[in-house]
Amino acid sequence: MTQHVWGYLPEYEKERADILDAVDTVFGSGQLVLGKSVRSFEEEFAAYNGVAHCVGVDNGTNAIVLGLRALGIGPGDEVITVSNTAAPTVIAINAVGAVPVFVDIDPDTYLMDVGQVVAAITPRTRCLLPVHLYGQCVDMAPLKALAAEHGLVVLEDCAQAHGARHHGRIAGSMGDAAAFSFYPTKVLGAYGDGGATVSDDPAVDARLRRLRFYGMEDRYYVVETPGYNSRLDEVQAEILRRKLTRLDGYIERRRAIAARYAEAFAGTGIVTPKLAPGNDHVYYVYVVRHPRRDELIEALKAHDIHLNISYPWPVHEQEGFAHLGYAPDDLPVTSRVAKEIFSLPMYASLSDAEQERVIEKVLDVAGRL
């Protein structure tokens, strides 16, 4: 299980006719930049997420960058988030000149420990940035209560949580704005880069639309505020439109795969994901733990099973963020978990036979460690 470990090739074979028709539709439309496909996808994705507005952008990192700027976050402002995340979450904070402030994670779900947030708030704090990691949501009610009490904005990082729900609310509908990635591996993935920022606030929506198009409003070359060239590609938007109609099916299949893993590894040394109260998980990745993770992963390579780690190096331990001044022990749960977690194959096109082989080999190898 190497090249198609995240399911691109099997998915493409199954959906090839529709994907190529999407490409032909755009090329034949005469609208290659911010045309009908982008507008339609924005409307449809906003409706799916129960929000009023969606702005398609070029990637998930810039979805966060533009989201922060549209919410008024800039140089010197502090943004509270987690270190157990993909580096782009923090890179985006840095890109707007803000300062990332980390809190530790829950040892069972690996999500933001909301109970630690209040102690991290300072007079410079302006934003809370929860990461709905691995496919399930952070506990949003107490986080939003803190935001309201301290006059902070909330930007949800939903890059890994398309379709996830928290007490019935869909990811992306609970903050002041939310950022999504459509990188090919995502639950809703494009065939290249792509992203979107959503909001219920028309003023935030208007700022986002200016920011993604150089800072211009209606007239070309008239810049109202310096922005970016950060437009969702028309071809990717049309592909995403088609795939959006299949998103719930992708999620259903992922949950079935997760259930089989949970049953197979119950009572073993493999610690399976814990579902937080009120959450409907979409299993973007299926993250498990084992105290001898590195040995287990290395042994499985002999069976052509190559597993990923999400994430082996917490952001606060990486050289590029040394200037933030964190030591590993400052976030003890994050640092400890990073030494044990790894991801089993998880994608909608994973076959039952492929999964059974993974389960068999993991149990065999783990049983001999």
Side-chain angles (χ1 to χ4, degrees):
M1 301 184 67
T2 52
Q3 169 64 26
H4 69 282
V5 70
W6 51 268
Y8 162 72
L9 291 177
E11 178 189 275
Y12 180 63
E13 287 304 310
K14 183 178 180 180
E15 302 181 357
R16 183 174 185 272
D18 195 35
I19 299 303
L20 294 182
D21 183 69
V23 175
D24 188 62
T25 295
V26 172
F27 287 175
S29 72
Q31 297 181 312
L32 301 182
V33 179
L34 293 185
K36 178 182 177 181
S37 293
V38 168
R39 290 193 300 272
S40 296
F41 174 71
E42 289 175 340
E43 293 171 1
E44 291 155 8
F45 193 64
Y48 181 88
N49 289 288
V51 295
H53 308 286
C54 169
V55 177
V57 298
D58 55 344
N59 57 65
T61 306
N62 281 340
I64 301 175
V65 171
L66 271 61
L68 289 168
R69 282 201 58 188
L71 292 172
I73 307 304
D77 293 339
E78 292 181 351
V79 178
I80 297 176
T81 189
V82 291
S83 176
N84 183 41
T85 184
T89 302
V90 184
I91 288 170
I93 297 170
N94 184 76
V96 302
V99 180
V101 175
F102 299 123
V103 295
D104 215 344
I105 58 174
D106 179 271
D108 294 319
T109 64
Y110 321 133
L111 300 170
M112 173 185 278
D113 184 346
V114 177
Q116 296 192 25
V117 172
V118 66
I121 295 174
T122 76
R124 294 173 59 191
T125 306
R126 294 290 180 269
C127 177
L128 306 180
L129 204 166
V131 181
H132 300 319
L133 200 67
Y134 304 149
Q136 68 170 327
C137 297
V138 172
D139 190 4
M140 292 297 291
L143 197 68
K144 290 173 65 179
L146 277 175
E149 179 182 353
H150 294 274
L152 310 175
V153 294
V154 177
L155 175 64
E156 300 174 70
D157 182 343
C158 301
Q160 302 186 7
H162 310 72
R165 291 184 180 270
H166 179 64
H167 294 292
R169 293 287 302 274
I170 194 165
S173 69
M174 296 176 280
D176 295 284
F180 289 85
S181 168
F182 304 122
Y183 187 77
T185 62
K186 303 301 183 183
V187 181
L188 178 63
Y191 277 62
D193 267 321
T197 311
V198 304
S199 176
D200 270 326
D201 188 334
V204 170
D205 176 63
R207 287 193 289 272
L208 286 167
R209 293 185 186 281
R210 287 194 295 270
L211 286 167
R212 72 141 174 218
F213 191 60
Y214 308 113
M216 301 176 187
E217 187 77 50
D218 297 320
R219 292 177 295 171
Y220 199 50
Y221 294 129
V222 180
V223 174
E224 297 193 7
T225 182
Y228 309 86
N229 177 4
S230 183
R231 302 169 295 216
L232 177 62
D233 181 76
E234 192 76 1
V235 171
Q236 300 301 339
E238 185 61 30
I239 291 172
L240 288 166
R241 289 189 67 199
R242 313 290 182 96
K243 294 187 69 175
L244 182 59
T245 66
R246 299 188 283 270
L247 177 55
D248 288 343
Y250 299 152
I251 293 170
E252 182 180 0
R253 175 60 182 163
R254 286 173 178 269
R255 287 174 175 159
I257 293 168
R260 294 179 69 192
Y261 278 140
E263 180 181 6
F265 296 120
T268 72
I270 305 293
V271 180
T272 55
K274 182 176 180 180
L275 187 65
N279 272 355
D280 294 322
H281 208 310
V282 296
Y283 298 100
Y284 164 59
V285 283
Y286 193 85
V287 174
V288 298
R289 289 176 69 179
H290 191 278
R292 299 174 69 178
R293 187 239 354 243
D294 293 345
E295 296 171 72
L296 179 62
I297 289 177
E298 187 62 30
L300 286 167
K301 291 178 182 178
H303 301 283
D304 197 27
I305 296 175
H306 300 261
L307 303 180
N308 295 324
I309 302 173
S310 302
Y311 299 95
W313 301 283
V315 174
H316 77 287
E317 295 185 19
Q318 296 180 29
E319 182 179 353
F321 299 99
H323 64 283
L324 297 176
Y326 286 88
D329 289 347
D330 290 336
L331 303 170
V333 179
T334 298
S335 293
R336 182 174 71 251
V337 164
K339 296 178 175 64
E340 298 184 352
I341 56 175
F342 62 103
S343 303
L344 297 179
M346 170 60 73
Y347 45 92
S349 56
L350 182 70
S351 71
D352 290 349
E354 288 173 319
Q355 185 182 12
E356 285 302 323
R357 182 172 180 273
V358 170
I359 291 170
E360 175 190 348
K361 297 303 181 183
V362 170
L363 286 174
D364 177 59
V365 171
R368 290 186 281 107
L369 289 179

